[in-house]
Amino acid sequence: MSALPEKRHIPDRLGTSLTRLLSSWEVLLLGVAIAIFIANAFASPYFLNAWNLSDATFNFTEKAMIAFAMALLIISGEIDLSVAAIIALASTAMGAAAQAGIDTPGLVAIGITVGLLCGAFNGLLVAGLGLPSIVVTIGTMSLFRGISYIVLGDQAYGNYPESFAFFGQGYVFWVISFEFALFIVCAIAFAILLHATSFGRRIYAIGNNQFAARFSGIPVERVKFILFLLTGLMSGIAAVCLTSRLGSTRPSIAQGWELEIVTMVVLGGVSILGGSGTIGGVVIAAFVMGLVTFGLGLLNVPGIVMSIFIGLLLIVTISLPIIFKRLKSGKKA
Amino acid sequence: MTRILKSREILLFGIIAILVAGFSSRAPGFAEPKNLAGIFNDTSILIILALGQMAVILTKSIDLSVAANLAFTGMAVAMLNAAHPDLPLAVLIIIALGIGAILGAINGLLVWKLGIPPIVVTLGTLTIYRGMAFVLSGGSWVNAHQMTPVFLNTPRTLFLGLPILGWTAVAIVIIVYIMMNRTFFGRALYASGGNPTAAIYAGIDVGRTRFFAFVLSGALAGLCGYLWVSRYAVAYVDIAAGFELDSIAATVIGGVSTLGGIGSVIGTVLGALFLGVIKNALPVIDISPFWQMAISGAVIILAVIFNARAEKRRGRIILRDKAAKTYQEATA
């Protein structure tokens, strides 16, 4: 049976029971992360090595940066499936600019601007015209990546300036890569934005009850537009990092990432229906997914088999709490 | 309401006709019956898949796993055919429908019994099913010479100028049309998406209806698995990658509302044909096939804008008006 209206949480109870529920989810997830870490350490002698672990972070840092913005978007009740296509378009634009002889600062500016423009386009369609975000972003996903295909076809851009390599391959301190440092900074920034500002409270309010939010004077459309803009911005930044790391651009770059990013967000305890979730959960989920793929990689498990584990992880972690809750309350549907 | 829907289908049909006429002025022979039959045949798999997708979307759900289901089932029947060439084709087709239906039922059960949102469930099973296709095949291909002639040639056999593949699509369209319009299940699909609460009061089990919509979508995807493998004479892990988006695009262009409860079989078929005509026309008018993705993206966006205008979600507008009125009263 579908959830009936009276099951909805009453706002004045949000403070206590809901936070406890959420913290228990994050504790569970943290347990999973530690278990995977220990299992990995036993499974492969190469796992517990600072440089190997540092390499492992590249598995998730770029995706996680987008996942933070995506988390805010999903909490507000929308979704953006075009993020990977934005990476492709931004990367293509940077590649074309590099071909024309533009230097590193210009390339970064172009990548980020393209990301912002794509985000603004999505925001305009969803917030401005009031269209359902799933379908709109499926459309823009085809459109953005399609433009990359028109520009590049079966070609690739490759001649990036040497200094451009820093964003994806540079280290700021010992084994701490630039990307990992950026990931930490983004995590803190988004955590503050979501959990310590009135803008963050507005996101929850919109996700829980859009109409009530509107009646309380929250400019729902503007908040949603900003969130799409933010997602575009993070996709642009991720495009800079990924392009710099790979050193080349093909139209198929970051193919399928949107699904992994949504998986990361949902695994992190953000309700796909909107209204609840934390950045902390998403951070832990990023580590869980990074550790799983890295550990399986050390065991020579092919990438596509890893994706089975990611898919199972998603469904099992969502199902288990539901099943336990049912068993506890004793009413089986 | 029916008038709006009807006019929408006529409109879409008109657009397709104009497109065909336009393309044939650039490339004579494009509008010849033989070529049109070819386009229809080429679009058959998309039509079948889109009809399953439509049933799911009508119930306010979405099935992102159809292409992965297609790949797994296609691989399974191709390997079965290669290993046991003596199995009759009918058995293989029933197996394909069965495997597809089981994969669909897994989606449906998770949505129905555990109440997990469909987009999350099928996002998960999308990667799982395609991964299973890899595990099943070990990453190797099944090539044409390993398949039996019956397996390969049956869908290509011409009958009244159209290959059996095309006739299969015609048959599925008729069956789904009758099911949607003349059976309890079909009407329940519309009711559970249009107004779930009212559907429950009308004695419709919304969860069960949704479950069977997923089973239907899965079974059709399984059938498409066989059709795809025999049409392209090869089975590998990545077949039909991303095709789930095409199936959604076809339904959206055809006027199916992703909010559930609105949409028609004819519209969906026309939506699929629209994509098929564009796909087949691009090489004819000397546009690189790399344009296709961007064009279908732009068309989806336009279709969504158009759909939203036709649907005019009244709930939101009433509330907006109310909000405006209370605001005026407050200031007055």
Side-chain angles (χ1 to χ4, degrees):
Chain A
M1 288 292 274
S2 53
L4 293 170
E6 58 258 33
K7 276 187 185 166
R8 192 169 271 171
H9 285 284
I10 297 156
D12 60 62
R13 293 211 327 237
L14 274 174
T16 53
S17 63
L18 198 65
T19 35
R20 217 184 301 146
L21 192 83
L22 280 178
S23 69
S24 78
W25 170 267
E26 272 120 34
V27 167
L28 177 86
L29 201 61
L30 196 62
V32 171
I34 292 168
I36 294 171
F37 191 87
I38 292 171
N40 275 339
F42 276 108
S44 167
Y46 307 106
F47 182 76
L48 283 179
N49 172 312
W51 285 102
N52 279 350
L53 285 174
S54 165
D55 271 354
T57 60
F58 287 111
N59 278 334
F60 63 83
T61 41
E62 291 139 6
K63 289 169 200 158
M65 286 177 220
I66 303 178
F68 295 143
M70 182 79 88
L72 305 200
L73 206 51
I74 292 180
I75 290 172
S76 83
E78 303 290 346
I79 197 166
D80 186 350
L81 296 176
S82 72
V83 283
I86 297 179
I87 293 183
L89 189 55
S91 184
T92 306
M94 285 188 285
Q99 210 83 339
I102 291 175
D103 206 21
T104 305
L107 292 183
V108 175
I110 287 171
I112 290 176
T113 311
V114 170
L116 280 172
L117 286 177
C118 291
F121 187 64
N122 282 331
L124 215 62
L125 288 171
V126 175
L129 297 178
L131 304 173
S133 56
I134 288 189
V135 214
V136 164
T137 55
I138 282 178
T140 53
M141 164 180 168
S142 266
L143 181 66
F144 297 154
R145 198 180 284 281
I147 297 174
S148 281
Y149 270 104
I150 293 174
V151 175
L152 273 171
D154 51 4
Q155 304 294 305
Y157 285 129
N159 293 324
Y160 289 99
E162 237 169 71
S163 58
F164 186 66
F166 173 74
F167 303 103
Q169 300 168 20
Y171 290 83
V172 284
F173 170 70
W174 190 43
V175 293
I176 309 292
S177 65
F178 172 78
E179 280 196 21
F180 190 71
L182 191 60
F183 159 78
I184 299 289
V185 171
C186 289
I188 294 170
F190 274 94
I192 292 173
L193 180 66
L194 181 63
H195 301 301
T197 66
S198 64
F199 185 78
R201 300 311 301 167
R202 288 176 173 193
I203 298 173
Y204 284 108
I206 292 171
N208 273 307
N209 190 334
Q210 199 176 160
F211 301 121
R214 199 193 306 281
F215 283 127
S216 357
I218 295 173
V220 175
E221 272 75 30
R222 199 194 304 160
V223 171
K224 282 187 178 173
F225 181 81
I226 292 172
L227 291 180
F228 274 102
L229 209 58
L230 210 53
T231 311
L233 170 72
M234 295 314 290
S235 307
I237 293 174
V240 172
C241 292
L242 181 64
T243 311
S244 151
R245 184 157 67 88
L246 300 178
S248 77
T249 299
R250 283 180 187 286
S252 61
I253 190 172
Q255 188 107 51
W257 275 28
E258 60 280 340
L259 301 186
E260 285 182 54
I261 290 166
V262 173
T263 304
M264 199 181 273
V265 172
V266 174
L267 192 63
V270 174
S271 161
I272 196 82
L273 303 172
S276 73
T278 61
I279 293 295
V282 179
V283 172
I284 302 171
F287 276 104
V288 167
M289 287 179 68
L291 286 172
V292 168
T293 39
F294 181 60
L296 293 174
L298 284 180
L299 298 175
N300 281 328
V301 175
I304 186 147
V305 179
M306 287 182 203
S307 67
I308 299 186
F309 284 93
I310 300 290
L312 280 176
L313 204 61
L314 175 70
I315 291 182
V316 170
T317 39
I318 293 180
S319 312
L320 280 182
I322 298 174
I323 294 170
F324 281 138
K325 218 196 225 165
R326 274 226 188 119
L327 290 178
K328 230 185 232 172
S329 62
K331 46 165 188 177
K332 279 192 174 178
Chain B
M1 188 55 100
T2 21
R3 223 194 307 151
I4 295 171
L5 287 177
K6 242 182 207 160
S7 72
R8 185 203 169 80
E9 279 133 22
I10 292 169
L11 189 74
L12 194 53
F13 185 79
I15 293 173
I16 294 175
I18 293 169
L19 277 179
V20 169
F23 291 137
S24 63
S25 72
R26 285 284 299 272
F30 189 82
E32 270 176 22
K34 200 180 159 197
N35 190 46
L36 291 182
I39 293 175
F40 183 82
N41 188 51
D42 200 49
T43 318
S44 296
I45 294 177
L46 180 57
I47 292 175
I48 299 172
L49 220 50
L51 288 175
Q53 185 70 259
M54 173 192 160
V56 173
I57 294 182
L58 278 181
T59 66
K60 256 192 172 106
S61 304
I62 198 159
D63 189 350
L64 295 174
S65 73
V66 281
N69 183 337
L70 185 161
F72 177 79
T73 315
M75 178 57 85
V77 288
M79 288 177 69
L80 205 56
N81 181 250
H84 302 281
D86 46 335
L87 271 178
L89 184 62
V91 173
L92 285 177
I93 291 176
I94 291 170
I95 290 176
L97 284 166
I99 296 177
I102 291 170
L103 296 184
I106 295 174
N107 289 332
L109 272 180
L110 288 167
V111 171
W112 178 23
K113 287 300 181 190
L114 292 182
I116 309 175
I119 186 169
V120 180
V121 169
T122 55
L123 208 56
T125 54
L126 150 81
T127 57
I128 295 174
Y129 293 165
R130 205 173 277 281
M132 273 161 48
F134 178 86
V135 173
L136 186 70
S137 65
S140 58
W141 295 35
V142 181
N143 292 306
H145 68 270
Q146 293 166 276
M147 303 175 192
T148 59
V150 183
F151 183 87
L152 278 179
N153 295 335
T154 306
R156 302 165 197 224
T157 314
L158 277 180
F159 177 71
L160 295 178
L162 190 66
I164 297 289
L165 173 61
W167 285 113
T168 313
V170 172
I172 301 279
V173 170
I174 293 171
I175 293 169
V176 175
Y177 183 84
I178 293 171
M179 192 198 75
M180 288 290 177
N181 296 296
R182 293 277 178 274
T183 67
F184 178 80
F185 174 62
R187 302 321 292 170
L189 285 175
Y190 281 94
S192 24
N195 190 337
T197 319
I200 292 170
Y201 285 120
I204 294 167
D205 189 333
V206 174
R208 236 173 89 102
T209 311
R210 207 170 267 176
F211 168 76
F212 281 113
F214 275 105
V215 173
L216 175 72
S217 164
L220 290 179
L223 176 67
C224 288
Y226 161 66
L227 294 173
W228 186 290
V229 168
S230 80
R231 170 159 171 72
Y232 296 101
V234 64
Y236 55 96
V237 175
D238 283 327
I239 58 169
F243 207 60
E244 65 273 355
L245 299 179
D246 288 26
S247 74
I248 295 168
T251 55
V252 171
I253 295 169
V256 178
S257 164
T258 45
L259 303 168
I262 301 174
S264 74
V265 172
I266 312 281
T268 304
V269 172
L270 288 173
L273 282 175
F274 180 87
L275 290 175
V277 166
I278 289 183
K279 183 182 159 217
N280 280 278
L282 291 184
V284 176
I285 55 169
D286 278 340
I287 292 179
S288 139
F290 289 117
W291 278 76
Q292 197 202 326
M293 200 180 202
I295 292 177
S296 51
V299 170
I300 294 172
I301 296 167
L302 289 176
V304 178
I305 294 174
F306 191 82
N307 282 3
R309 288 189 151 206
E311 286 157 21
K312 285 243 158 97
R313 274 163 293 161
R314 294 171 69 194
R316 180 177 283 185
I317 286 160
I318 288 169
L319 268 168
R320 256 189 201 151
D321 289 352
K322 252 190 201 162
K325 232 178 249 167
T326 33
Y327 179 73
Q328 279 166 358
E329 277 162 17
T331 47

